[in-house]
Amino acid sequence: MPATWPHQLVEHLRSREGAGALVIATSSAVALGVVPNLIDALPHPIWAAIIAFVVTVLITPLGWALRHERGLGIVLGLYPPGQQQDSRIVTLAAASAARHTSSFEVRPRLLSPAGTDLGAKGRADLTAEIIDARAVEEARRFSATDVTLYPLIPLREGFHLGRQLANRNWTSLTVMHLSGSNAKSVIPGVRLGTHLTGPLTPAQLALVNDCVHPSSGDAITPEPHPECPRTHRHRLAVIIRLSPSDAMVEDALHVARTGSLRRPYSLAHTGYLPHIDATCGAHVVIESTRTYLDEAPETFEALANHLHRTITTAAEAWRNHLAVTSPTPHRPVDVLVFLAGPLPIAIALGWLGAHHPETDLVHHDKALMGSWTEPSSTGRL
């Protein structure tokens, strides 16, 4: 049953926009009623007029702040059924609703038309289309729309979403981060824009050098895998550990060297589900020098810029190595990124690498770690 107009009026007045309208209307009414009386009562009318003007100037911005457009928030809760944490989605949705004029939520069912599994790339493409359509709808109401994403999705889908988002053009696109140290804290992660593509500033270089090894001044030399089959030598593994993750580097190295998804001794699953045979001809390892990264936009953005440059440099170094040492015809270097780190950085890496289709991020499913049974299907690939 549709709400009655009195109920709609009450709900509007309880909203931010309604409160702003009420502040402006009340202030205007008070000013119109009080100012003439003050002018008549005070011995110096000019002072009454000045006071009324100052009060109006101070109150008007409050009404404007309550009523002005605050952009579009889009919540992306796209983990598969059984892995999604509803409490975290509720936290993200509440943060979006509190900060934006309009808030919208995308759930997995929306990305599975008629129950069809589109795969990571297909889901990322459809998600970007939904974001684009929703942003266009908002832009019809306002001259420009700032879009803010509140994502809770697997890293590989985040990487491909970033790649798709690079082909869109909005006034501003911010990716929020659900804090790892405080699960109820939602903070800015990265702002996707051309500022990510420029040379690192001295402050960013100092931050990167303090956060990861190898740092910005170190030479990037891929370490070859002599046992790698000739048909797979053009593949390069870039292993990036930015968060505490026991055995992450060891597991990723094992997968990259052998193609096996199981640990060599226990035969327990590593959790990695690459979209292709992950055997690589060489690898590069980048590790955080801190137990936990500073959860701040300047840290995430500097690292995303640095990591993208490192991936590009490593791929070029391995390409040059193959040109000298391999008698086979020159092939493009396929880069497989193994990442343990914040989701906004994965999205930024996809955005920065939008024009490098030969680079992909390897999906990791924590639910599979330690398992002795193969998954029925890759599902999220």
Side-chain angles (χ1 to χ4, degrees):
M1 177 182 294
T4 61
W5 72 263
H7 178 74
Q8 293 177 358
L9 176 61
V10 170
E11 289 299 314
H12 177 67
L13 293 178
R14 289 174 58 185
S15 68
R16 179 176 58 84
E17 293 82 359
L22 192 60
V23 167
I24 294 173
T26 302
S27 302
S28 300
V30 171
L32 290 173
V34 173
V35 171
N37 293 334
L38 284 175
I39 293 176
D40 291 338
L42 294 179
H44 300 289
I46 186 63
W47 287 109
I50 291 174
I51 292 172
F53 175 75
V54 171
V55 171
T56 301
V57 169
L58 293 176
I59 292 178
T60 299
L62 175 60
W64 173 83
L66 290 170
R67 285 187 56 80
H68 88 287
E69 189 268 336
R70 295 189 300 170
L72 169 66
I74 299 181
V75 181
L76 305 173
L78 302 181
Y79 272 93
Q83 296 186 29
Q84 192 69 276
Q85 297 183 22
D86 290 341
S87 62
R88 302 176 75 188
I89 291 295
V90 169
T91 299
L92 291 172
S96 177
R99 299 182 187 191
H100 305 287
T101 304
S102 179
S103 185
F104 183 71
E105 187 173 339
V106 179
R107 290 281 191 152
R109 188 173 61 180
L110 192 61
L111 305 180
S112 301
T116 303
D117 184 2
L118 301 178
K121 294 182 180 180
R123 282 188 295 272
D125 184 50
L126 182 54
T127 301
E129 291 290 347
I130 292 172
I131 294 171
D132 201 21
R134 192 67 182 85
V136 169
E137 182 181 345
E138 282 295 302
R140 291 172 181 168
R141 300 170 54 200
F142 308 99
S143 57
T145 298
D146 293 338
V147 179
T148 302
L149 303 182
Y150 294 78
L152 188 59
I153 58 180
L155 290 179
R156 185 168 187 254
E157 290 197 32
F159 178 84
H160 283 288
L161 176 60
R163 179 168 283 172
Q164 291 297 326
L165 293 175
N167 299 321
R168 271 74 178 178
N169 183 28
W170 293 295
T171 304
S172 176
L173 183 58
T174 301
V175 180
M176 302 296 282
H177 173 63
L178 185 59
S179 173
S181 58
N182 180 359
K184 293 187 177 180
S185 178
V186 182
I187 57 178
V190 299
R191 181 172 60 86
L192 301 179
T194 54
H195 66 289
L196 293 178
T197 62
L200 291 168
T201 66
Q204 288 177 317
L205 285 172
L207 193 155
V208 166
N209 292 341
D210 188 48
C211 283
V212 296
H213 178 78
S215 64
S216 59
D218 296 327
I220 304 299
T221 304
E223 182 176 334
H225 302 162
E227 70 282 3
C228 178
R230 185 180 302 276
T231 54
H232 290 53
R233 287 181 187 171
H234 65 287
R235 295 178 183 161
L236 172 69
V238 178
I239 301 167
I240 305 171
R241 186 193 61 78
L242 301 179
S243 59
S245 182
D246 294 341
M248 180 270 173
V249 173
E250 181 182 352
D251 284 350
L253 274 175
H254 176 66
V255 173
R257 282 174 171 154
T258 67
S260 172
L261 307 183
R262 295 186 173 278
R263 293 169 181 164
Y265 302 108
S266 67
L267 298 183
H269 207 290
T270 61
Y272 286 107
L273 291 175
H275 61 291
I276 58 173
D277 182 339
T279 306
C280 296
H283 74 268
V284 170
V285 177
I286 305 165
E287 291 196 80
S288 173
T289 57
R290 302 178 179 182
T291 303
Y292 293 97
L293 292 175
D294 291 335
E295 295 182 315
E298 55 268 23
T299 300
F300 288 177
E301 292 181 1
L303 283 176
N305 188 326
H306 169 69
L307 292 172
H308 172 67
R309 291 173 181 273
T310 301
I311 292 171
T312 303
T313 301
E316 183 63 26
W318 187 238
R319 184 181 298 110
N320 293 336
H321 174 84
L322 291 178
V324 173
T325 61
S326 176
T328 59
H330 177 72
R331 296 184 60 175
V333 171
D334 292 338
V335 181
L336 276 67
V337 179
F338 296 77
L339 173 65
L343 175 58
I345 290 182
I347 294 175
L349 287 176
W351 189 89
L352 287 164
H355 302 299
H356 300 278
E358 65 278 3
T359 299
D360 205 346
L361 195 147
V362 178
H363 175 61
H364 187 263
D365 187 345
K366 291 183 179 179
L368 286 176
M369 292 185 67
S371 171
W372 278 265
T373 59
E374 289 290 345
S376 59
S377 66
T378 57
R380 306 302 293 176
L381 303 183

